[in-house]
Amino acid sequence: MADLKQLLNKLSQLKILLASDVTQQMLDGIDENSLLQKIIEMKSRAASETPESADPKKELEFIGSADILKMAKEIATEKVPMPVEVSRSQGFRPEAAEIEERFSVSEKEITAVASIDDFTKHFNNRLSRIKKILDKRQGIKFLNALEEIDKNRYLSGREIAVVGIVSKKIATKNGNIMVELEDSTGTAKVIFMNKQAHSHKNNIFDDAARIVNDEVIGIKGKLSHPFIIANEIIWPEPVIKTAKKFEEDFSVAFLSDIHTGSKLFMEKNFLHMLKWMQGKVGENSNVAGKIKYIVIAGDVADGIGIYPNQDKDLQVLDIYQQYSMLFNMLDAVPDYIHVFVMPGNHDATQRAEPQPPFDASIIKDFKKSNIHIVQNPSFISLNGLDVLAYHGTSLDSVIASIPGLAYSQPETAMIELLKRRHLSPIYGGNIILPSPKDNLVIDRTPDILHMGHIHTNGLANYKGVWVVNSGTWQSKTEFQTKQGHMPTPCKMPVFNSKTNKFTIVNFS
Ligand code: FE
Ligand code: ZN
């Protein structure tokens, strides 16, 4: 329980003050350590969001009652701890063993090299597929092509709706935002008026700040040659989805960022989790026994030469050994559980996305009928449950580009990707291979969007789609400490088909 006096003391050491409207009554029932952690997180988030020129000491001097209430709420929803206690494996009868597996994995054609021609095709393909989604919007008739503005000699003052790929975004001298949209027939210059100049309605200017390069958006606005004065941005986001009803009662466990071979891989915890799955530990054999599938979203091994001086952090310097370590562990997964393993940016396969599955040199003679080596990303259907799994390398550029996003809440960045119908919209943010078909477009809305990469757990439901980040099994690296990141290792999200809910099983 948090004590006001003690809290004031501890915070003052951190140069943080509590506003006078915070009372002891508000703190009753809140775990002090969790609250402190939240406040520090908030402070580091605020610091990371302000430009470097700002004085970090000046950030967030006061924590008010509103902040405390918000944090208390977050703490309450996060805490679904599942204590795992060691006990005998008596009478473990996994229900999932009785369920017949029915799964399919999408297979995309993956290119290893691209030509200039492919580049143009790639972006045209992105545009036309996302435009198709926007065209289904009720009550909006988008122009078929940007050239129609001139061809039809539309007059200024006319209301129009257009779709294009963002090729440029700049701040104008008058403090407005100008975005250039492009398609294969032409361009359109769209102006987003600054709030002061345009005070009457919505926050179009704030919305425009969220536009990123190379994404496909729809714009409604008034023609004012040669510009379009925007009054609405239409993102291709999913329409509200109602939860599927499942006949079978099964669960899916989500993992990512195991980083075998790293000194910081939390092997004991991982092995403990595997034992738990075998029903050998814990009171939660009812949770464990329902697990029918495991999806692993990349960075399964730590790799070698991924960042400068990585060898200092490695326990296993041989790349093949890092993978045999992984496969040895996966060998312990009960046969009735099907496991899908994909690579991430640390893994030994082509770095550019989409990434092909591991090849024979990595897999060697490891063969098990329940372990499936797949591409990154993969659209996986599991007894009717659609999971779109992607490592999440693009989250770095998304968090850096869209205001208000932070590493402590990866789910918010994931939602931005879902809204844009693209797993990696910002070209150049990470390595993408521009194939003639853009394989990173999200044209099918999944039931669950799963990513890793950030090493921090996150969970949200956006318009009926579950968005989950499965964190990591690696403890905090020196690099992350310097960056002010807060990994949440060994917390495994498990989704159940009957309850349509996640349980976070804590192995930390
Ligand atoms: Fe990772
Ligand atoms: Zn990663």
Side-chain angles (χ1 to χ4, degrees):
M1 197 87 70
D3 177 73
L4 183 58
K5 246 191 184 156
Q6 271 186 31
L7 192 67
L8 279 168
N9 247 327
K10 285 183 183 162
L11 288 176
S12 72
Q13 286 165 23
L14 297 162
K15 298 201 168 56
I16 303 172
L17 299 170
L18 279 185
S20 57
D21 60 351
V22 177
T23 62
Q24 176 60 47
Q25 209 182 352
M26 292 173 66
L27 300 177
D28 287 342
I30 310 177
D31 176 62
E32 186 166 309
N33 283 330
S34 308
L35 185 62
L36 267 173
Q37 165 104 1
K38 278 271 164 215
I39 294 172
I40 294 166
E41 248 180 65
M42 185 174 163
K43 193 177 150 80
S44 67
R45 207 181 308 153
S48 73
E49 276 164 12
T50 45
E52 270 157 54
S53 57
D55 181 358
K57 283 188 220 98
K58 289 196 89 178
E59 281 319 305
L60 211 92
E61 288 161 329
F62 282 98
I63 302 276
S65 58
D67 298 318
I68 296 286
L69 289 174
K70 195 174 153 240
M71 289 180 210
K73 227 172 141 191
E74 287 176 15
I75 291 167
T77 51
E78 274 167 10
K79 283 234 160 151
V80 210
M82 287 285 193
V84 178
E85 279 165 24
V86 182
S87 76
R88 286 148 289 141
S89 77
Q90 36 159 249
F92 179 62
R93 278 188 203 83
E95 286 173 55
E98 309 302 319
I99 291 176
E100 189 203 347
E101 62 270 7
R102 284 176 283 113
F103 58 82
S104 64
V105 184
S106 68
E107 288 246 16
K108 305 264 166 66
E109 203 184 308
I110 290 182
T111 1
V113 281
S115 67
I116 302 267
D117 193 35
D118 289 342
F119 194 84
T120 314
K121 281 186 193 153
H122 179 84
F123 287 105
N124 283 338
N125 179 266
R126 176 185 298 191
L127 176 60
S128 69
R129 276 160 65 206
I130 298 179
K131 182 168 190 298
K132 229 178 248 166
I133 296 165
L134 283 164
D135 280 335
K136 285 189 194 134
R137 277 301 153 82
Q138 299 284 309
I140 307 174
K141 179 83 191 79
F142 292 104
L143 297 187
N144 288 322
L146 292 175
E147 66 175 0
E148 287 181 15
I149 302 170
D150 291 331
K151 256 196 178 167
N152 299 347
R153 301 208 181 128
Y154 287 143
L155 297 176
S156 283
R158 187 189 167 107
E159 296 278 352
I160 56 170
V162 294
V163 175
I165 193 157
V166 175
S167 60
K168 200 193 268 174
K169 177 180 149 189
I170 53 165
T172 71
K173 270 182 250 151
N174 314 329
N176 301 322
I177 292 174
M178 208 252 320
V179 166
E180 205 168 273
L181 294 182
E182 230 179 69
D183 69 10
S184 58
T185 71
T187 59
K189 288 185 169 62
V190 184
I191 302 285
F192 299 85
M193 291 292 200
N194 185 318
K195 259 187 226 157
Q196 280 83 24
H198 197 74
S199 57
H200 64 286
K201 62 171 184 187
N202 58 42
N203 32 4
I204 186 83
F205 187 80
D206 292 340
D207 282 351
R210 310 182 74 77
I211 294 176
V212 299
N213 278 341
D214 314 308
E215 69 165 310
V216 176
I217 49 170
I219 297 288
K220 262 168 86 173
K222 204 178 248 173
L223 203 56
S224 171
H225 280 295
F227 302 108
I228 299 171
I229 310 298
N231 51 44
E232 194 183 345
I233 304 171
I234 301 114
W235 270 286
E237 59 186 334
V239 288
I240 293 174
K241 208 177 151 146
T242 44
K244 276 182 190 160
K245 292 255 180 288
F246 293 91
E247 285 282 305
E248 294 153 313
D249 186 356
F250 65 97
S251 293
V252 184
F254 295 90
L255 300 174
S256 58
D257 301 271
I258 302 169
H259 291 270
T260 59
S262 162
K263 280 180 189 162
L264 298 162
F265 165 49
M266 297 173 79
E267 189 175 7
K268 265 194 199 137
N269 305 64
F270 198 82
L271 293 176
H272 187 75
M273 180 273 286
L274 289 171
K275 274 195 183 145
W276 174 81
M277 270 192 197
Q278 295 167 332
K280 284 185 186 156
V281 283
E283 295 162 348
N284 300 304
S285 57
N286 57 327
V287 178
K290 283 184 180 170
I291 296 175
K292 184 70 193 167
Y293 299 106
I294 303 172
V295 182
I296 311 180
D299 278 7
V300 292
D302 204 44
I304 43 169
I306 306 295
Y307 56 88
N309 298 320
Q310 188 190 5
D311 2 343
K312 278 193 314 189
D313 302 336
L314 288 177
Q315 187 168 44
V316 182
L317 286 152
D318 180 295
I319 189 83
Y320 302 103
Q321 250 182 53
Q322 291 185 1
Y323 285 93
S324 49
M325 218 176 135
L326 174 86
F327 291 130
N328 275 338
M329 291 189 299
L330 293 183
D331 207 27
V333 173
D335 292 343
Y336 63 85
I337 300 178
H338 283 259
V339 186
F340 301 87
V341 186
M342 72 177 61
N345 60 311
H346 273 254
D347 285 303
T349 181
Q350 167 188 307
R351 190 74 170 267
E353 294 171 0
Q355 293 179 291
F358 299 117
D359 66 22
S361 71
I362 295 295
I363 302 171
K364 297 249 174 74
D365 53 0
F366 178 79
K367 252 195 202 93
K368 276 200 86 188
S369 60
N370 65 322
I371 312 284
H372 311 278
I373 311 290
V374 301
Q375 303 172 343
N376 168 39
S378 279
F379 196 99
I380 310 173
S381 291
L382 306 168
N383 289 36
L385 178 77
D386 294 334
V387 176
L388 175 57
Y390 167 59
H391 176 59
T393 316
S394 67
L395 291 171
D396 291 317
S397 63
V398 170
I399 291 171
S401 307
I402 302 177
L405 300 186
Y407 279 91
S408 55
Q409 290 163 309
E411 71 281 10
T412 53
M414 291 170 66
I415 290 171
E416 296 295 332
L417 293 174
L418 188 61
K419 273 175 78 174
R420 285 161 177 78
R421 293 274 184 174
H422 203 282
L423 292 173
S424 183
I426 307 166
Y427 190 79
N430 44 294
I431 315 164
I432 294 298
L433 219 100
S435 51
K437 186 178 179 211
D438 184 348
N439 286 316
L440 298 171
V441 171
I442 307 173
D443 21 29
R444 266 175 82 192
T445 308
D447 300 310
I448 297 172
L449 178 64
H450 170 215
M451 295 185 201
H453 187 61
I454 302 298
H455 292 208
T456 300
N457 285 72
L459 181 65
N461 191 295
Y462 186 72
K463 305 209 169 188
V465 180
W466 280 109
V467 170
V468 65
N469 195 298
S470 47
T472 184
W473 291 81
Q474 187 187 34
S475 62
K476 196 167 165 177
T477 63
E478 215 174 287
F479 178 73
Q480 289 161 341
T481 312
K482 274 187 204 147
Q483 303 276 306
H485 293 171
M486 292 271 192
T488 54
C490 310
K491 290 182 177 174
M492 183 174 72
V494 177
F495 176 83
N496 180 259
S497 64
K498 276 285 179 197
T499 59
N500 185 40
K501 281 205 169 63
F502 274 89
T503 304
I504 312 295
V505 190
N506 194 345
F507 295 95
S508 63

PDB file of all heavy atoms in Angstrom, residues 257 259 299 344-346 391 393 452-455, ligand 2:
ATOM      1  N   ASP A 257      11.114 -12.462 -29.234  1.00  0.00           N
ATOM      2  CA  ASP A 257      12.349 -11.920 -28.671  1.00  0.00           C
ATOM      3  C   ASP A 257      12.925 -12.796 -27.557  1.00  0.00           C
ATOM      4  O   ASP A 257      13.135 -12.336 -26.443  1.00  0.00           O
ATOM      5  CB  ASP A 257      12.114 -10.475 -28.216  1.00  0.00           C
ATOM      6  CG  ASP A 257      11.675  -9.611 -29.380  1.00  0.00           C
ATOM      7  OD1 ASP A 257      12.537  -9.045 -30.058  1.00  0.00           O
ATOM      8  OD2 ASP A 257      10.448  -9.555 -29.663  1.00  0.00           O
ATOM      9  N   HIS A 259      15.895 -14.436 -27.979  1.00  0.00           N
ATOM     10  CA  HIS A 259      17.322 -14.065 -27.977  1.00  0.00           C
ATOM     11  C   HIS A 259      18.215 -15.143 -27.369  1.00  0.00           C
ATOM     12  O   HIS A 259      19.067 -14.826 -26.528  1.00  0.00           O
ATOM     13  CB  HIS A 259      17.535 -12.714 -27.293  1.00  0.00           C
ATOM     14  CG  HIS A 259      16.973 -11.548 -28.063  1.00  0.00           C
ATOM     15  ND1 HIS A 259      17.705 -10.853 -28.989  1.00  0.00           N
ATOM     16  CD2 HIS A 259      15.737 -10.984 -28.073  1.00  0.00           C
ATOM     17  CE1 HIS A 259      16.944  -9.901 -29.523  1.00  0.00           C
ATOM     18  NE2 HIS A 259      15.744  -9.960 -28.991  1.00  0.00           N
ATOM     19  N   ASP A 299      13.113 -12.688 -33.565  1.00  0.00           N
ATOM     20  CA  ASP A 299      14.251 -12.511 -32.671  1.00  0.00           C
ATOM     21  C   ASP A 299      14.344 -13.728 -31.756  1.00  0.00           C
ATOM     22  O   ASP A 299      14.463 -13.597 -30.535  1.00  0.00           O
ATOM     23  CB  ASP A 299      14.151 -11.204 -31.861  1.00  0.00           C
ATOM     24  CG  ASP A 299      14.639  -9.987 -32.641  1.00  0.00           C
ATOM     25  OD1 ASP A 299      14.936 -10.137 -33.851  1.00  0.00           O
ATOM     26  OD2 ASP A 299      14.717  -8.892 -32.049  1.00  0.00           O
ATOM     27  N   GLY A 344      13.156 -12.501 -36.934  1.00  0.00           N
ATOM     28  CA  GLY A 344      13.080 -11.057 -36.692  1.00  0.00           C
ATOM     29  C   GLY A 344      14.382 -10.436 -37.153  1.00  0.00           C
ATOM     30  O   GLY A 344      15.197 -11.105 -37.818  1.00  0.00           O
ATOM     31  N   ASN A 345      14.612  -9.183 -36.788  1.00  0.00           N
ATOM     32  CA  ASN A 345      15.808  -8.496 -37.304  1.00  0.00           C
ATOM     33  C   ASN A 345      17.122  -9.050 -36.756  1.00  0.00           C
ATOM     34  O   ASN A 345      18.179  -8.808 -37.307  1.00  0.00           O
ATOM     35  CB  ASN A 345      15.719  -6.984 -37.060  1.00  0.00           C
ATOM     36  CG  ASN A 345      15.606  -6.634 -35.603  1.00  0.00           C
ATOM     37  OD1 ASN A 345      14.782  -7.203 -34.888  1.00  0.00           O
ATOM     38  ND2 ASN A 345      16.435  -5.729 -35.124  1.00  0.00           N
ATOM     39  N   HIS A 346      17.068  -9.798 -35.651  1.00  0.00           N
ATOM     40  CA  HIS A 346      18.285 -10.401 -35.105  1.00  0.00           C
ATOM     41  C   HIS A 346      18.607 -11.749 -35.738  1.00  0.00           C
ATOM     42  O   HIS A 346      19.660 -12.309 -35.489  1.00  0.00           O
ATOM     43  CB  HIS A 346      18.133 -10.607 -33.594  1.00  0.00           C
ATOM     44  CG  HIS A 346      18.523  -9.411 -32.785  1.00  0.00           C
ATOM     45  ND1 HIS A 346      19.688  -9.356 -32.062  1.00  0.00           N
ATOM     46  CD2 HIS A 346      17.912  -8.225 -32.585  1.00  0.00           C
ATOM     47  CE1 HIS A 346      19.770  -8.191 -31.456  1.00  0.00           C
ATOM     48  NE2 HIS A 346      18.703  -7.482 -31.751  1.00  0.00           N
ATOM     49  N   HIS A 391       7.235  -9.438 -36.833  1.00  0.00           N
ATOM     50  CA  HIS A 391       8.212  -9.156 -35.781  1.00  0.00           C
ATOM     51  C   HIS A 391       8.030  -7.756 -35.195  1.00  0.00           C
ATOM     52  O   HIS A 391       8.056  -7.563 -33.989  1.00  0.00           O
ATOM     53  CB  HIS A 391       9.644  -9.343 -36.273  1.00  0.00           C
ATOM     54  CG  HIS A 391      10.637  -8.968 -35.225  1.00  0.00           C
ATOM     55  ND1 HIS A 391      10.656  -9.589 -33.992  1.00  0.00           N
ATOM     56  CD2 HIS A 391      11.597  -8.007 -35.179  1.00  0.00           C
ATOM     57  CE1 HIS A 391      11.598  -9.027 -33.242  1.00  0.00           C
ATOM     58  NE2 HIS A 391      12.184  -8.062 -33.939  1.00  0.00           N
ATOM     59  N   THR A 393       9.709  -4.749 -36.625  1.00  0.00           N
ATOM     60  CA  THR A 393      10.881  -3.883 -36.823  1.00  0.00           C
ATOM     61  C   THR A 393      10.472  -2.455 -37.174  1.00  0.00           C
ATOM     62  O   THR A 393      11.141  -1.492 -36.798  1.00  0.00           O
ATOM     63  CB  THR A 393      11.781  -4.467 -37.940  1.00  0.00           C
ATOM     64  OG1 THR A 393      11.882  -5.872 -37.734  1.00  0.00           O
ATOM     65  CG2 THR A 393      13.171  -3.872 -37.893  1.00  0.00           C
ATOM     66  N   GLY A 452       6.392  -8.264 -31.689  1.00  0.00           N
ATOM     67  CA  GLY A 452       7.381  -8.252 -30.603  1.00  0.00           C
ATOM     68  C   GLY A 452       8.273  -7.043 -30.805  1.00  0.00           C
ATOM     69  O   GLY A 452       7.789  -5.952 -31.037  1.00  0.00           O
ATOM     70  N   HIS A 453       9.577  -7.251 -30.776  1.00  0.00           N
ATOM     71  CA  HIS A 453      10.612  -6.277 -31.110  1.00  0.00           C
ATOM     72  C   HIS A 453      10.855  -5.196 -30.053  1.00  0.00           C
ATOM     73  O   HIS A 453      11.976  -4.756 -29.862  1.00  0.00           O
ATOM     74  CB  HIS A 453      10.324  -5.617 -32.465  1.00  0.00           C
ATOM     75  CG  HIS A 453      11.423  -4.731 -32.964  1.00  0.00           C
ATOM     76  ND1 HIS A 453      12.687  -5.206 -33.224  1.00  0.00           N
ATOM     77  CD2 HIS A 453      11.466  -3.392 -33.216  1.00  0.00           C
ATOM     78  CE1 HIS A 453      13.452  -4.183 -33.636  1.00  0.00           C
ATOM     79  NE2 HIS A 453      12.737  -3.093 -33.634  1.00  0.00           N
ATOM     80  N   ILE A 454       9.799  -4.754 -29.382  1.00  0.00           N
ATOM     81  CA  ILE A 454       9.947  -3.641 -28.436  1.00  0.00           C
ATOM     82  C   ILE A 454      10.397  -4.137 -27.058  1.00  0.00           C
ATOM     83  O   ILE A 454      10.878  -3.367 -26.243  1.00  0.00           O
ATOM     84  CB  ILE A 454       8.598  -2.877 -28.339  1.00  0.00           C
ATOM     85  CG1 ILE A 454       8.165  -2.351 -29.717  1.00  0.00           C
ATOM     86  CG2 ILE A 454       8.630  -1.734 -27.350  1.00  0.00           C
ATOM     87  CD1 ILE A 454       9.111  -1.354 -30.336  1.00  0.00           C
ATOM     88  N   HIS A 455      10.251  -5.428 -26.802  1.00  0.00           N
ATOM     89  CA  HIS A 455      10.620  -6.045 -25.528  1.00  0.00           C
ATOM     90  C   HIS A 455       9.752  -5.569 -24.363  1.00  0.00           C
ATOM     91  O   HIS A 455      10.149  -5.667 -23.206  1.00  0.00           O
ATOM     92  CB  HIS A 455      12.106  -5.832 -25.211  1.00  0.00           C
ATOM     93  CG  HIS A 455      13.016  -6.578 -26.145  1.00  0.00           C
ATOM     94  ND1 HIS A 455      14.263  -7.022 -25.810  1.00  0.00           N
ATOM     95  CD2 HIS A 455      12.834  -6.978 -27.438  1.00  0.00           C
ATOM     96  CE1 HIS A 455      14.814  -7.647 -26.841  1.00  0.00           C
ATOM     97  NE2 HIS A 455      13.952  -7.629 -27.849  1.00  0.00           N
TER      98      HIS A 455
HETATM   99 ZN    ZN B   2      13.705  -7.067 -32.990  1.00  0.00          ZN
END
